[in-house]
Amino acid sequence: MRNWNVYLSGEIHTDWREQIEAGVKSAGLPVSFSAPVTHHEASDDCGVTILGEEPDKFWHDYKGASVNAIRTRTLIGDADVVVVRFGDKYKQWNAAFDAGYAAALGKPLIVMHGPDHQHALKEVDAAAFAVVETPDQIVHILDYVINGNLAGYTG
Amino acid sequence: MRNWNVYLSGEIHTDWREQIEAGVKSAGLPVSFSAPVTHHEASDDCGVTILGEEPDKFWHDYKGASVNAIRTRTLIGDADVVVVRFGDKYKQWNAAFDAGYAAALGKPLIVMHGPDHQHALKEVDAAAFAVVETPDQIVHILDYVINGNLAGYTG
Amino acid sequence: MRNWNVYLSGEIHTDWREQIEAGVKSAGLPVSFSAPVTHHEASDDCGVTILGEEPDKFWHDYKGASVNAIRTRTLIGDADVVVVRFGDKYKQWNAAFDAGYAAALGKPLIVMHGPDHQHALKEVDAAAFAVVETPDQIVHILDYVINGNLAGYTG
Amino acid sequence: MRNWNVYLSGEIHTDWREQIEAGVKSAGLPVSFSAPVTHHEASDDCGVTILGEEPDKFWHDYKGASVNAIRTRTLIGDADVVVVRFGDKYKQWNAAFDAGYAAALGKPLIVMHGPDHQHALKEVDAAAFAVVETPDQIVHILDYVINGNLAGYTG
Amino acid sequence: MRNWNVYLSGEIHTDWREQIEAGVKSAGLPVSFSAPVTHHEASDDCGVTILGEEPDKFWHDYKGASVNAIRTRTLIGDADVVVVRFGDKYKQWNAAFDAGYAAALGKPLIVMHGPDHQHALKEVDAAAFAVVETPDQIVHILDYVINGNLAGYTG
Amino acid sequence: MRNWNVYLSGEIHTDWREQIEAGVKSAGLPVSFSAPVTHHEASDDCGVTILGEEPDKFWHDYKGASVNAIRTRTLIGDADVVVVRFGDKYKQWNAAFDAGYAAALGKPLIVMHGPDHQHALKEVDAAAFAVVETPDQIVHILDYVINGNLAGYTG
Amino acid sequence: MRNWNVYLSGEIHTDWREQIEAGVKSAGLPVSFSAPVTHHEASDDCGVTILGEEPDKFWHDYKGASVNAIRTRTLIGDADVVVVRFGDKYKQWNAAFDAGYAAALGKPLIVMHGPDHQHALKEVDAAAFAVVETPDQIVHILDYVINGNLAGYTG
Amino acid sequence: MRNWNVYLSGEIHTDWREQIEAGVKSAGLPVSFSAPVTHHEASDDCGVTILGEEPDKFWHDYKGASVNAIRTRTLIGDADVVVVRFGDKYKQWNAAFDAGYAAALGKPLIVMHGPDHQHALKEVDAAAFAVVETPDQIVHILDYVINGNLAGYTG
């Protein structure tokens, strides 16, 4: 049976990834998830920890973002579907960057955010194949897309 | 042994897919089939069922078609061979769209239709590597293409 | 000033292309239009006329469609924007094929059709950047997209 | 002499584009600039104005963003260099989306923003070939990159 | 008006290129032709003449073929249409190589040869958009493909 | 351990494929071989046998070559290395076509032929990473390229 | 669990590859390493040994480099990450060539060299996602990129 | 008449570019040359001069190399032919990097160097379409490739 690679980009301070993974596991779907490193401090400091300290915060951040990019570019490149979650806080420009990156590669994009971000995210939403608000909806999309299961119609 | 991915696009109201799959199974060919969701109502309503109702039929359809595209674009992208079936009824523009999509990706295309559609399908046929009328012919092509088996010549 | 190449695919029995071209000319937009050969009989018979007669209608059509494809593939490949028009009559599978072909190349797609075709064209519409009903709307899109002109907002 | 296409993405409420254009004109550089439509209301409403009203704000925005994408994808695709400006206000997720889109296409990316956004933009900056704070710096980069001019070194 | 680049590959010992060029000129078509160097001895010896003599004929030929490839790969890459002519004599493997090369790039291919080569060229013909026997047919295809002109139908 | 896909194109009337396969098996190399259908009559007649008879030999051949192309294009597309063998007889334009096709895809190409064909094959040889005369040399190349084994140097 | 392909290009006279492999093994990371043939004399002589002697050292080297390219191009094409090591001795142009080749393919590049080479390698370093000095750093990057492990932060 | 873009990469301390340009001008060839910035100090310092000083030499160099890459990647991407010159001095890893970058893009590569560098450059030479020692040879190649002129054979 075909395995689907799903990349989960964006917000790292809530458990939305765990909710999707639990739902997919419960539905028994053949999905492998990948994501950026979600340990905030590790993600910020990986560059200087491994490559050496930088007195200038710009290069501290630059080194970290570059090391993280080794992971994220590879996994987005492997993904069948890219999900990007915009949470309630922070600028989250990296999430929007990933969305643009995935769109240019022609990857089917699913965007998840609350209604209050709708206007600000209109360009991102317009590039998406689906716009959702909850992890459950992601699970339902995957169950439908992979197995053709739709509550009230099949099964 | 190499596995072949074959995508079966088009008509969803007859059992042509099952016939091909049965023939391929009987021939013992290493083929994995994929297809759009063939449950007509689920395919129509998947968008609003998962993403929320739409009062306007255009957006009802749009959401559904977009969710289906997550599946179809991924599976066509994975396919070694794309088979497109035009049946006797309906407009079947999605079948012709898939044929054009597959052709632009350079996928070997096989088109299946009755003789009455021949003139109307000439552009699609001209992009195909084979034009057939029956599921049996698809099975024979796969048996030949994969194993070199040809009735009356080999074995 | 940048010139925009716009390919006009689909229906050949009404004057929608001329309407768009007149509107664009009147607006003074830097657009070059291209299209399939719209002379119906020439388009059907170009293959056998140039390459030699065929007793079998299938090959008659096949040769013609192949010669036409030299033109259409080249011009779609050159296009910045691909417009596909579905009229009231005929199967128009070539139009849907062109839409799929353009979508796979990543070309911005505009689809034009009447409301009665809306459900049957949902997969094509979902791949489009805009769905319109009239040539005037195409002209307005081009005027906005190229020059930023929007009635009631600019100028 | 080679002409350079430079796309100016991002903030639309200050005159940073005009400053760059004036500097480039004054330096006599062979550069053609392109940009999204920068008339805020036109950009928001272009979809419904041309394609028809929508009662739901989501689709109002969606239509507008899709029409704008006809322009932005074409012009980013044409660009030799993509400049993305992040201003002091708003979410600006479309700017980050464009940066990701351009990066995936392999376009040399220049990012312009103030020091306060430095940490939040680290992933975008890490994908850039240059990170600047002022329009003047963009002009100097273009003058150097195109003509080899560098104050204090040449001429 | 759009200019068409047509690459003329293959046989160098008859005047088929000149016939096509004369016909195209007479029809006033906007076509630029390109071709390999057709001076047989120059083509054979260009490598050693410019890069230095080789005692081993294999490297003599290798150097020449490599220098010629700078030209042919560039011009085939630029071509809108690739015409490959197989004459009556010689192995002409370079012509078949060019046909395969053009096909893999997705270039519309036209093959010209006499009926006696038909069986041996079946794989090449099957990759072509048109198979012709005379230069006149090439001219007619170009006149039709570019301008829609077809004797007995238009004009 | 990485498996290598090696496509063996060209001559079908001698046992060069079997010799390579025996050598590779004896060396225990992780190689999967693929090839066109090598049953001459089946290869010629597969189109009409499966798709229906043709009174015109051109279309008889055309249908067969198209069906064969479903196999050959897929397998060449999968190959890590493409070997093309030119034998002593026949035109073998399909072999040269495959070589050009593989070269345009950037596949490492190995060409095998006797010294008498050297001048006629100079363009094909110049596109190759290695030119050999015997199946043994192919085995040695694979043993070296995959495992670093070279007689007299390693092991 | 996803396997990562890591290509180790460059210096062949120290045991840096073994150190990385040992570290990765010790950390239990799912990594497959590949590399050029590192037996210096075999690498130099593989061409003439397999393909036949050459009196001219240029062709001796050329044949060897071409045979090696069958391996290196294939394995770099397969790699998720390309590491290029510049040692203390020799010109090492092949290492820089591989770095440029990998960069053009969009492969994440890690460069390893001592501080004395820093200025001379600035163009290569600027194309890298990380610049390191020791094999240990490579292991730490892979442990972080693959598993999110970072000393002092996780675990 | 077709214009050829030729990029001249590598050594910046001798007048080889001027010699080629003079020869091409004298031959009246339709060639546009491009190159990196050849003012050594400007090339080293462009990053810090425009983007701000760096106390750490690594970032000083990094910024400069990144700004230079805006130019070099764009111009190599535009080139029909890439010439890479290796001189007598310095490491010249940027030249080898450019050669690898151009090779991966499929650009015809010409390498120029003295005989003493032959062994060390064997991998670069093996990727080239021609290996020369003098600017005159470059001019002769261009004259032949563009116009078919070869001393002693034509004209």
Side-chain angles (χ1 to χ4, degrees):
Chain A
M1 185 175 222
R2 185 188 197 284
N3 188 70
W4 288 64
N5 292 323
V6 176
Y7 186 82
L8 303 174
S9 168
E11 194 197 19
I12 61 172
H13 300 96
T14 66
D15 68 346
W16 68 279
R17 284 187 185 81
E18 288 71 20
Q19 290 184 47
I20 292 173
E21 289 171 26
V24 157
K25 188 175 178 186
S26 158
L29 302 178
V31 174
S32 298
F33 289 103
S34 62
V37 170
T38 57
H39 187 295
H40 193 148
E41 292 75 22
S43 174
D44 273 3
D45 297 344
C46 62
V48 294
T49 299
I50 301 173
L51 306 176
E53 290 301 317
E54 290 293 331
D56 183 340
K57 189 59 162 53
F58 178 82
W59 296 117
H60 177 118
D61 283 343
Y62 191 94
K63 276 175 151 179
S66 295
V67 168
N68 281 309
I70 298 173
R71 176 181 174 106
T72 58
R73 300 247 178 131
T74 301
L75 298 176
I76 291 177
D78 264 6
D80 295 307
V81 176
V82 174
V83 177
V84 183
R85 159 72 182 159
F86 291 85
D88 296 335
K89 290 188 286 191
Y90 306 105
K91 290 291 189 181
Q92 305 181 78
W93 282 320
N94 58 327
F97 180 90
D98 282 357
Y101 193 89
L105 297 182
K107 305 282 177 186
L109 181 69
I110 302 175
V111 183
M112 178 163 59
H113 62 80
D116 45 328
H117 283 335
Q118 184 261 306
H119 184 63
L121 280 168
K122 65 183 191 292
E123 287 86 1
V124 178
D125 287 356
F129 284 51
V131 180
V132 304
E133 297 195 8
T134 69
D136 257 16
Q137 289 175 305
I138 302 285
V139 176
H140 293 150
I141 288 174
L142 293 174
D143 199 15
Y144 174 75
V145 161
I146 295 172
N147 286 331
N149 291 336
L150 187 68
Y153 289 79
T154 60
Chain B
M1 185 176 223
R2 187 187 195 283
N3 188 69
W4 288 64
N5 293 322
V6 176
Y7 186 83
L8 303 173
S9 169
E11 195 196 20
I12 61 172
H13 300 97
T14 65
D15 68 347
W16 68 279
R17 284 186 186 81
E18 288 72 19
Q19 291 184 47
I20 292 173
E21 289 172 26
V24 159
K25 188 175 177 185
S26 157
L29 302 178
V31 174
S32 298
F33 289 103
S34 62
V37 170
T38 56
H39 187 295
H40 192 150
E41 292 75 22
S43 174
D44 273 4
D45 297 344
C46 61
V48 295
T49 299
I50 300 173
L51 305 176
E53 290 300 316
E54 291 294 331
D56 183 340
K57 189 58 161 54
F58 178 83
W59 297 118
H60 177 118
D61 284 343
Y62 191 95
K63 276 175 150 178
S66 295
V67 167
N68 281 310
I70 298 174
R71 176 182 174 105
T72 58
R73 300 244 179 134
T74 301
L75 297 175
I76 292 176
D78 264 8
D80 295 307
V81 176
V82 173
V83 177
V84 184
R85 160 71 182 159
F86 291 85
D88 296 334
K89 292 187 289 192
Y90 306 106
K91 290 291 189 181
Q92 306 179 80
W93 283 318
N94 58 328
F97 181 89
D98 282 357
Y101 194 88
L105 296 183
K107 304 283 177 186
L109 181 69
I110 302 174
V111 182
M112 177 163 59
H113 61 80
D116 45 328
H117 284 335
Q118 184 262 307
H119 184 64
L121 280 168
K122 64 183 191 292
E123 287 86 1
V124 178
D125 287 355
F129 284 52
V131 180
V132 304
E133 297 195 8
T134 70
D136 257 16
Q137 289 175 303
I138 302 284
V139 176
H140 292 151
I141 289 174
L142 293 174
D143 199 14
Y144 174 75
V145 161
I146 296 173
N147 286 330
N149 291 335
L150 187 69
Y153 290 80
T154 60
Chain C
M1 186 175 221
R2 186 186 197 282
N3 188 70
W4 287 64
N5 292 323
V6 176
Y7 186 82
L8 303 173
S9 169
E11 193 196 21
I12 62 171
H13 299 98
T14 65
D15 67 346
W16 67 279
R17 283 185 186 81
E18 288 71 20
Q19 289 184 48
I20 292 173
E21 289 172 26
V24 157
K25 188 175 178 185
S26 157
L29 302 178
V31 175
S32 298
F33 290 103
S34 62
V37 169
T38 56
H39 187 293
H40 193 149
E41 292 75 24
S43 173
D44 272 5
D45 297 345
C46 62
V48 296
T49 300
I50 301 173
L51 306 176
E53 289 301 316
E54 291 292 332
D56 184 339
K57 188 59 160 56
F58 178 83
W59 296 117
H60 177 117
D61 283 343
Y62 191 94
K63 275 176 153 178
S66 294
V67 167
N68 281 309
I70 298 173
R71 176 183 174 105
T72 58
R73 301 245 178 134
T74 302
L75 297 176
I76 291 176
D78 264 6
D80 296 305
V81 176
V82 173
V83 177
V84 183
R85 160 74 182 156
F86 291 85
D88 295 334
K89 293 189 285 192
Y90 306 105
K91 291 291 190 183
Q92 305 180 82
W93 282 319
N94 58 330
F97 181 89
D98 282 357
Y101 193 89
L105 297 183
K107 304 283 179 187
L109 181 69
I110 302 174
V111 182
M112 179 163 60
H113 61 80
D116 46 327
H117 284 334
Q118 184 262 305
H119 184 64
L121 280 170
K122 64 183 191 292
E123 288 86 2
V124 179
D125 287 355
F129 285 52
V131 180
V132 305
E133 297 195 8
T134 68
D136 257 17
Q137 289 175 305
I138 301 285
V139 176
H140 292 150
I141 289 174
L142 292 174
D143 200 14
Y144 175 74
V145 161
I146 295 172
N147 286 330
N149 291 335
L150 187 68
Y153 289 78
T154 59
Chain D
M1 186 175 222
R2 188 187 195 282
N3 189 68
W4 287 65
N5 292 323
V6 177
Y7 186 80
L8 303 174
S9 170
E11 194 195 20
I12 61 172
H13 300 97
T14 64
D15 68 345
W16 68 279
R17 283 184 186 81
E18 287 72 19
Q19 289 184 47
I20 292 173
E21 289 172 26
V24 158
K25 188 173 177 187
S26 157
L29 302 178
V31 174
S32 298
F33 290 102
S34 62
V37 169
T38 55
H39 186 294
H40 193 151
E41 293 74 24
S43 174
D44 273 4
D45 297 344
C46 62
V48 295
T49 298
I50 300 174
L51 305 175
E53 290 301 316
E54 291 293 333
D56 184 339
K57 187 58 159 57
F58 178 83
W59 295 117
H60 178 116
D61 283 343
Y62 191 94
K63 276 175 151 178
S66 294
V67 168
N68 280 310
I70 299 173
R71 176 182 175 108
T72 58
R73 301 245 179 133
T74 302
L75 297 177
I76 291 177
D78 265 8
D80 296 304
V81 176
V82 174
V83 178
V84 183
R85 158 75 182 157
F86 291 85
D88 297 334
K89 292 189 285 193
Y90 306 106
K91 290 292 191 182
Q92 305 181 82
W93 282 320
N94 59 329
F97 181 89
D98 282 357
Y101 193 89
L105 297 182
K107 303 285 178 184
L109 181 69
I110 302 174
V111 183
M112 177 163 60
H113 61 80
D116 46 327
H117 283 335
Q118 185 261 308
H119 184 63
L121 281 168
K122 65 184 189 293
E123 287 87 2
V124 179
D125 287 355
F129 284 51
V131 180
V132 304
E133 298 196 9
T134 69
D136 256 16
Q137 288 176 305
I138 303 285
V139 176
H140 292 150
I141 289 173
L142 293 174
D143 199 15
Y144 175 74
V145 161
I146 296 172
N147 286 330
N149 291 334
L150 187 69
Y153 290 79
T154 59
Chain E
M1 185 175 222
R2 185 185 197 285
N3 188 70
W4 289 64
N5 292 323
V6 176
Y7 186 82
L8 303 173
S9 170
E11 191 195 23
I12 61 172
H13 300 96
T14 65
D15 68 345
W16 67 279
R17 285 185 185 82
E18 288 71 20
Q19 290 184 48
I20 292 173
E21 289 171 26
V24 158
K25 187 175 179 185
S26 156
L29 302 178
V31 174
S32 298
F33 289 103
S34 62
V37 169
T38 56
H39 186 294
H40 193 150
E41 292 74 23
S43 174
D44 273 4
D45 297 343
C46 61
V48 295
T49 299
I50 301 174
L51 305 176
E53 289 302 316
E54 292 292 333
D56 183 339
K57 188 59 162 54
F58 178 82
W59 295 117
H60 176 118
D61 282 343
Y62 192 92
K63 276 176 152 180
S66 295
V67 167
N68 280 309
I70 298 174
R71 175 181 174 108
T72 58
R73 300 247 177 130
T74 301
L75 297 176
I76 291 177
D78 264 8
D80 295 305
V81 177
V82 173
V83 178
V84 183
R85 160 72 183 159
F86 291 85
D88 297 334
K89 292 188 286 192
Y90 305 106
K91 290 292 189 182
Q92 306 179 81
W93 283 320
N94 58 327
F97 180 89
D98 282 357
Y101 194 89
L105 297 183
K107 304 284 176 185
L109 181 69
I110 302 174
V111 182
M112 178 163 62
H113 61 79
D116 45 327
H117 284 333
Q118 185 263 306
H119 184 63
L121 280 169
K122 64 182 189 295
E123 289 87 0
V124 178
D125 287 356
F129 285 52
V131 180
V132 305
E133 297 194 8
T134 68
D136 256 17
Q137 288 175 304
I138 302 285
V139 176
H140 292 150
I141 289 174
L142 293 174
D143 199 14
Y144 175 74
V145 161
I146 296 172
N147 286 330
N149 290 335
L150 188 68
Y153 290 78
T154 59
Chain F
M1 186 176 222
R2 187 186 196 283
N3 189 69
W4 288 64
N5 292 323
V6 176
Y7 186 83
L8 303 173
S9 170
E11 194 196 20
I12 61 172
H13 299 97
T14 65
D15 67 347
W16 67 280
R17 285 185 186 80
E18 288 72 19
Q19 291 185 46
I20 292 174
E21 289 172 25
V24 158
K25 189 176 177 185
S26 157
L29 301 179
V31 174
S32 299
F33 289 103
S34 61
V37 170
T38 55
H39 186 295
H40 193 150
E41 292 75 22
S43 174
D44 272 4
D45 297 344
C46 62
V48 295
T49 299
I50 301 174
L51 305 176
E53 290 300 317
E54 291 293 333
D56 184 340
K57 188 57 161 55
F58 178 82
W59 295 117
H60 178 116
D61 284 342
Y62 191 94
K63 276 175 151 179
S66 294
V67 168
N68 281 310
I70 298 174
R71 175 181 175 107
T72 57
R73 299 244 179 136
T74 301
L75 297 177
I76 291 177
D78 266 6
D80 296 306
V81 176
V82 173
V83 178
V84 183
R85 159 74 183 157
F86 291 85
D88 295 335
K89 291 188 287 192
Y90 306 107
K91 289 291 190 183
Q92 306 179 81
W93 283 319
N94 58 330
F97 181 88
D98 283 356
Y101 194 87
L105 297 183
K107 305 284 179 187
L109 181 69
I110 301 174
V111 182
M112 178 163 60
H113 60 80
D116 47 328
H117 283 335
Q118 184 261 309
H119 184 63
L121 280 168
K122 64 184 189 294
E123 288 86 2
V124 179
D125 287 355
F129 285 51
V131 180
V132 304
E133 297 195 9
T134 70
D136 257 16
Q137 289 175 304
I138 303 284
V139 177
H140 292 152
I141 289 174
L142 293 173
D143 199 15
Y144 175 75
V145 161
I146 295 173
N147 286 330
N149 291 335
L150 187 68
Y153 290 79
T154 60
Chain G
M1 185 174 222
R2 186 187 198 283
N3 188 68
W4 288 65
N5 293 323
V6 176
Y7 185 82
L8 303 174
S9 170
E11 195 198 18
I12 61 172
H13 300 96
T14 65
D15 68 347
W16 68 278
R17 284 185 184 81
E18 288 72 20
Q19 290 184 47
I20 292 174
E21 288 172 26
V24 158
K25 189 176 179 186
S26 157
L29 302 178
V31 174
S32 299
F33 289 102
S34 62
V37 170
T38 56
H39 187 295
H40 194 148
E41 292 74 22
S43 175
D44 273 2
D45 296 344
C46 62
V48 294
T49 300
I50 302 174
L51 305 176
E53 290 301 316
E54 291 293 333
D56 183 339
K57 188 60 162 54
F58 178 83
W59 296 117
H60 178 117
D61 283 342
Y62 191 94
K63 276 175 151 180
S66 294
V67 168
N68 281 310
I70 298 174
R71 174 180 175 106
T72 58
R73 301 246 177 132
T74 301
L75 297 177
I76 292 177
D78 265 8
D80 296 306
V81 176
V82 174
V83 177
V84 184
R85 160 72 182 159
F86 291 85
D88 295 334
K89 292 188 286 190
Y90 306 106
K91 290 291 191 183
Q92 305 181 81
W93 283 320
N94 59 328
F97 181 89
D98 283 357
Y101 194 88
L105 297 182
K107 305 283 179 187
L109 181 69
I110 302 175
V111 182
M112 178 163 60
H113 61 81
D116 46 328
H117 283 335
Q118 185 261 308
H119 184 64
L121 280 169
K122 64 183 192 293
E123 287 86 3
V124 179
D125 287 354
F129 284 51
V131 179
V132 304
E133 297 195 10
T134 69
D136 257 16
Q137 288 175 305
I138 303 283
V139 176
H140 292 151
I141 289 174
L142 292 174
D143 199 15
Y144 174 76
V145 161
I146 295 172
N147 286 330
N149 291 335
L150 187 68
Y153 290 80
T154 61
Chain H
M1 185 177 221
R2 186 186 197 283
N3 188 69
W4 288 65
N5 293 323
V6 176
Y7 185 81
L8 303 173
S9 170
E11 192 196 22
I12 61 172
H13 300 97
T14 65
D15 68 345
W16 67 279
R17 285 186 184 81
E18 288 71 19
Q19 290 184 45
I20 292 174
E21 289 172 27
V24 158
K25 188 174 177 186
S26 157
L29 302 178
V31 174
S32 299
F33 289 102
S34 62
V37 169
T38 55
H39 186 295
H40 194 150
E41 292 75 22
S43 175
D44 273 4
D45 297 344
C46 62
V48 295
T49 299
I50 301 175
L51 305 175
E53 289 302 317
E54 292 293 333
D56 184 339
K57 188 58 162 53
F58 178 82
W59 297 118
H60 177 116
D61 283 341
Y62 191 93
K63 276 175 150 179
S66 296
V67 167
N68 281 309
I70 298 174
R71 175 181 175 108
T72 59
R73 300 245 178 133
T74 302
L75 297 176
I76 291 176
D78 265 8
D80 295 306
V81 176
V82 173
V83 177
V84 183
R85 158 74 183 158
F86 291 84
D88 296 332
K89 292 188 286 190
Y90 306 106
K91 290 292 190 182
Q92 307 181 80
W93 283 320
N94 58 328
F97 181 89
D98 282 357
Y101 194 89
L105 297 182
K107 304 285 177 184
L109 181 69
I110 302 173
V111 182
M112 177 164 60
H113 60 81
D116 45 328
H117 284 333
Q118 185 262 306
H119 184 63
L121 280 169
K122 65 183 188 296
E123 288 86 1
V124 178
D125 288 354
F129 285 51
V131 179
V132 304
E133 297 195 9
T134 68
D136 256 17
Q137 288 175 304
I138 302 285
V139 176
H140 292 150
I141 289 174
L142 293 174
D143 198 16
Y144 175 75
V145 162
I146 295 173
N147 285 330
N149 291 334
L150 186 69
Y153 289 79
T154 59

